[in-house]
């Protein structure tokens, strides 16, 4: 039947101030870029942040509190700058968005290196594009899993000194550059 009865709870619901993102640093990057998102009530009045996406790509959550969330950007293949939203979801289901707050930049690429083999003390030059990953410098490098010393770094070349490897010769392995 249609009785028109009303059920209510006085003081049962309170609207809170909306959470907000005040900064995204840096506001651009590529796979592996560490991003710090600052704001207010980022946990959406809950106890934790459960996910963060940058331009629709799920980011790896590194640390979070109510005013700061740190993530690592996921892989996103693009040959041009791709701009999108920063989206934080809390355990309450609250969603906080910074519209057009993040842009993926073209991924860095190693074209070649000379020489391609050596031993402790060998000077190696790595050539490519976007090698700094939109950072200021290369802070660490590995040649076939062995730490190398960074001598100098630009966006198109990095000079390394091969580190000490003990044991049998290694098969060809990855060249890994990590930017600040």
């Amino acid at each position: 039947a249609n009785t028109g009865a009303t059920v209510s709870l006085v003081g049962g619901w309170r609207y809170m101030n909306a959470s907000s993102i005040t900064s995204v640093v840096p506001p651009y990057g590529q796979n592996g870029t560490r991003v710090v998102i600052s704001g207010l009530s980022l946990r959406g009045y809950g106890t934790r942040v459960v996910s963060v996406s940058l331009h629709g790509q799920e980011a790896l959550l590194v640390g979070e509190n109510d005013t700061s969330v740190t993530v690592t950007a996921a892989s996103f293949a693009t040959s041009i700058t791709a701009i999108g939203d920063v989206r934080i979801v809390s355990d309450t289901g609250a969603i906080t968005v910074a519209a057009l707050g993040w842009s993926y930049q073209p991924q860095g690429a190693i074209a070649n290196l000379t020489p391609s083999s050596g031993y402790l003390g060998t000077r190696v030059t790595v050539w490519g594009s976007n090698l700094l990953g939109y950072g200021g410098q290369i802070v660490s490098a590995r040649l076939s899993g062995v730490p190398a010393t960074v001598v100098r770094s630009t966006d198109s070349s990095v000079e390394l000194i091969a580190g000490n490897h003990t044991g049998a010769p290694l098969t060809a392995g990855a060249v890994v550059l990590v930017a600040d």
Side-chain angles (χ1 to χ4, degrees):
N2 188 1
T3 66
T6 302
V7 177
S8 65
L9 174 62
V10 176
W13 172 259
R14 179 174 65 161
Y15 275 98
M16 304 297 287
N17 291 325
S19 56
S20 64
I21 295 172
T22 56
S23 70
V24 179
V25 178
Y28 53 83
Q30 61 185 20
N31 180 42
T33 300
R34 178 137 318 174
V35 183
V36 177
I37 305 161
S38 299
L40 303 172
S41 304
L42 297 177
R43 289 179 169 167
Y45 299 96
T47 59
R48 65 188 179 95
V49 169
V50 295
S51 70
V52 177
S53 63
L54 303 171
H55 186 61
Q57 304 299 307
E58 191 77 17
L60 174 66
L61 188 58
V62 176
E64 56 86 21
N65 62 46
D66 210 30
T67 59
S68 180
V69 177
T70 302
V71 298
T72 301
S75 181
F76 181 78
T78 182
S79 60
I80 59 169
T81 299
I83 301 171
D85 297 345
V86 174
R87 185 175 187 261
I88 298 174
V89 180
S90 76
D91 61 353
T92 63
I95 298 170
T96 308
V97 175
L100 304 177
W102 170 259
S103 63
Y104 271 102
Q105 302 294 321
Q107 186 72 28
I110 295 173
N112 62 19
L113 64 150
T114 55
S116 60
S117 63
Y119 49 87
L120 174 64
T122 301
R123 285 192 173 267
V124 179
T125 302
V126 179
W127 301 94
S129 60
N130 300 326
L131 296 178
L132 299 180
Y134 305 93
Q137 64 184 348
I138 299 298
V139 294
S140 69
R142 289 186 170 276
L143 299 170
S144 292
V146 178
T149 301
V150 179
V151 177
R152 65 174 185 79
S153 57
T154 69
D155 222 22
S156 60
S157 70
V158 177
E159 187 177 338
L160 306 172
I161 298 175
N164 189 22
H165 167 69
T166 57
L170 296 172
T171 58
V175 176
V176 178
L177 305 174
V178 178
D180 61 358

